[in-house]
Amino acid sequence: MSKSLRLPKYQGVARDILQKIADGTIAVGSRLPSGTQLAEQYGVALPTISHAIEVLRDMGIVDTRHGIGTFVLTADVNEELSLAARVARLETQVAELRDALASFKQVR
């Protein structure tokens, strides 16, 4: 009954960018590639990238200056990576519970 669920694409992109910041591949103070470049790099649509950047901005990891770009503010992302992993696990568990409930309703 348990399905293998993947993260929504925007969460996967945000998590990958977080990991690159944590391991120093993307340095503090550096500008992220443009949304179009990131969309090409990750093979996703531009709104997916926008959502991922919004998540990172809400976490205080990046800041976007309109017309200039999105810049990395901090490399202190270990807590955020841990939280993102816990949220992803919870989302998977909720989806599995929904599936179980739907199956239960069909049996009744």
Side-chain angles (χ1 to χ4, degrees):
M1 175 169 32
S2 175
K3 295 180 181 176
S4 175
L5 299 175
R6 288 184 276 162
L7 287 175
K9 289 180 183 179
Y10 77 91
Q11 286 182 356
V13 170
R15 191 169 189 189
D16 188 65
I17 293 171
L18 272 174
Q19 187 60 54
K20 288 179 178 178
I21 293 168
D23 70 19
T25 303
I26 301 174
V28 173
S30 67
R31 187 174 79 182
L32 294 180
S34 72
T36 303
Q37 290 170 322
L38 288 171
E40 275 186 33
Q41 178 182 336
Y42 287 100
V44 298
L46 190 55
T48 302
I49 296 300
S50 297
H51 198 171
I53 297 300
E54 180 182 335
V55 168
L56 297 174
R57 197 171 36 250
D58 289 348
M59 296 169 81
I61 303 299
V62 300
D63 183 44
T64 300
R65 298 180 203 144
H66 295 285
I68 299 173
T70 300
F71 296 84
V72 179
L73 298 177
T74 181
D76 187 18
V77 299
N78 290 328
E79 184 176 328
E80 284 79 4
L81 282 171
S82 175
L83 179 60
R86 287 190 305 233
V87 167
R89 281 193 302 272
L90 287 172
E91 287 176 339
T92 299
Q93 291 170 343
V94 166
E96 289 173 350
L97 288 170
R98 274 193 201 121
D99 289 346
L101 182 58
S103 296
F104 177 74
K105 286 180 178 179
Q106 288 176 352
V107 170
R108 290 183 62 197

